[in-house]
Amino acid sequence: ISGATIVDPEKSENTDAYIAKLVELREKKGMTEEKARELLLTNYLYYGVMMVKMKDADGMVSGACHSTADTLRPSLQILKTKPGTKLVSAFFIMVVPDCEMGANGTFLFGDSGLEQNPDPEKLAAIALSSADSFRLLTEKEPVVALLSHSTKGSAKHADVDKVVEATKIAKENAPEGLLIDGEFQLDAAIVPSVGASKAPGSPVAGKANVLIFPDLDAGNIGYKLVQRLAKAEAYGPLTQGIAAPVNDLSRGCSAKDIEGVIAITAVQAMAEDK
């Protein structure tokens, strides 16, 4: 990190301005100058978010030593959600070696880190945000599959109904040309021969590179299975829907993981500036 600029909150000439701004932003919630000073000098996640808010940084990466909740709390309190975004969600970019499926082995898994049990409206919003994120980060066209234990009505259950409804909502709100479909079992979504057999006529079946899981259990288990068993590179959880790039890391992350998420955050920040 010899090339990095190290900021000491106690010595930085910007700290007083951050304190004043934090009081302004959170005054209705009982924030005082004394509380703001203590918070910013003892919790560097709040300090980092204030750096982003005040345009002294373009994004923040956290999580190696903090929970997802610790990372997102100051982000949502101070930065808020991006205009036009219905909710904040999280995803992983998965790069599977020696894999011809997806975008030459690259997939987006969402939501694999934040939204516990999304209803159909939230699941649809996650799908559409994930499509945008995949296009931004890979410069490839997203092919979005909403996953289930059922393919096109092969099983009947309330959990399947949720994914069917989410697919309908997502299609109604999708930009023209976006390939999005469901409900699919995982193999029908990514294996061409299975997709052609189980969902003939679907433009997504067997070709998906953006995989939308029905809940956080499935998404979290799914990304860790692929990471550990397929030796895939897993970058995230990355957030979408916050007004500026803020990304999380697993507390089991390596230095290489941190480096990868920093690079992705930089790409997101450059896109924000355009």
Side-chain angles (χ1 to χ4, degrees), residues 3-265:
T5 300
I6 310 298
V7 176
D8 183 345
E10 292 193 4
K11 298 178 181 177
S12 173
E13 62 184 18
N14 294 325
T15 297
D16 285 345
Y18 296 170
I19 291 169
K21 185 65 174 180
L22 184 55
V23 171
E24 176 189 328
L25 292 170
R26 304 286 294 168
E27 194 169 19
K28 291 181 179 178
K29 298 293 184 179
M31 184 64 67
T32 64
E33 183 177 339
E34 182 180 4
K35 289 180 180 178
R37 182 176 298 277
E38 179 182 2
L39 190 60
L40 291 175
L41 294 183
T42 59
N43 187 323
Y44 51 80
L45 295 181
Y46 274 89
Y47 198 91
V49 169
M50 286 305 303
M51 291 180 71
V52 177
K53 181 69 175 179
M54 300 292 278
K55 307 297 185 184
D56 293 322
D58 295 303
M60 186 177 83
V61 175
S62 176
C65 304
H66 295 86
S67 68
T68 297
D70 288 338
T71 299
L72 292 180
R73 189 177 302 109
S75 304
L76 294 175
Q77 287 178 356
I78 295 166
L79 298 174
K80 310 293 186 182
T81 56
K82 187 181 296 185
T85 300
K86 293 183 178 179
L87 83 162
V88 174
S89 56
F91 64 93
F92 277 80
I93 293 293
M94 307 295 297
V95 182
V96 184
D98 304 316
C99 177
E100 296 180 355
M101 292 176 283
N104 295 320
T106 298
F107 296 87
L108 184 150
F109 285 17
D111 182 325
S112 302
L114 183 59
E115 191 66 36
Q116 184 71 50
N117 190 15
D119 60 24
E121 288 78 13
K122 288 183 176 180
L123 199 58
I126 291 166
L128 297 177
S129 291
S130 296
D132 290 340
S133 294
F134 185 83
R135 183 184 288 109
L136 169 66
L137 295 175
T138 69
E139 297 187 333
K140 298 180 186 300
E141 281 303 306
V143 182
V144 185
L146 285 88
L147 300 181
S148 175
H149 68 274
S150 168
T151 297
K152 294 296 183 179
S154 66
K156 304 296 182 184
H157 192 273
D159 289 346
V160 178
D161 295 340
K162 179 178 86 166
V163 180
V164 171
E165 179 64 17
T167 302
K168 178 184 175 186
I169 295 168
K171 285 182 174 181
E172 289 172 351
N173 291 286
E176 186 176 353
L178 177 64
L179 296 179
I180 184 167
D181 202 6
E183 85 283 9
F184 293 123
Q185 293 162 296
L186 187 277
D187 56 353
I190 67 172
V191 181
S193 60
V194 179
S197 172
K198 291 188 173 183
S202 170
V204 170
K207 303 170 187 173
N209 49 36
V210 176
L211 304 180
I212 305 303
F213 292 83
D215 56 40
L216 185 57
D217 285 340
N220 190 271
I221 292 166
Y223 101 77
K224 289 187 176 180
L225 271 173
V226 175
Q227 180 186 30
R228 300 301 179 182
L229 299 185
K231 306 275 191 277
E233 297 174 35
Y235 297 106
L238 307 167
T239 61
Q240 50 194 7
I242 298 176
V246 174
N247 288 316
D248 195 18
L249 286 155
S250 166
R251 277 171 282 181
C253 65
S254 66
K256 185 179 179 183
D257 294 334
I258 298 172
E259 180 184 329
V261 172
I262 289 171
I264 289 171
T265 305

